[in-house]
Amino acid sequence: MTHVYFHCSNRSEVLVDRRGAVVDDLAEARDHATRVVRSLTMVRSLEDWRCWVLHVNDDLGEELFLVPFAFVLGKPH
């Protein structure tokens, strides 16, 4: 089990995940990352989430992988 953090950023803002989550492996971290992106983008707002990126870091601050929001959201309709 590994404690990972899911920070989000765009060119002008950073949303820092201070709680993180305990995951068994990278696949579980990826699934959790997708849920984080979906939960943030479900809130009605004027924010263009497609330019945001989710950074998955371990408890030492090392970046494990990135998830561009556009990858999860797909192309606009």
Side-chain angles (χ1 to χ4, degrees), residues 8-39:
C8 301
S9 69
N10 66 12
R11 291 182 185 214
S12 60
E13 293 182 71
V14 175
L15 302 176
V16 177
D17 175 14
R18 299 196 189 284
R19 291 184 4 197
V22 176
V23 296
D24 289 326
D25 53 31
L26 287 177
E28 187 177 349
R30 181 202 60 225
D31 294 344
H32 188 87
T34 301
R35 287 191 302 274
V36 169
V37 170
R38 291 195 190 285
S39 70

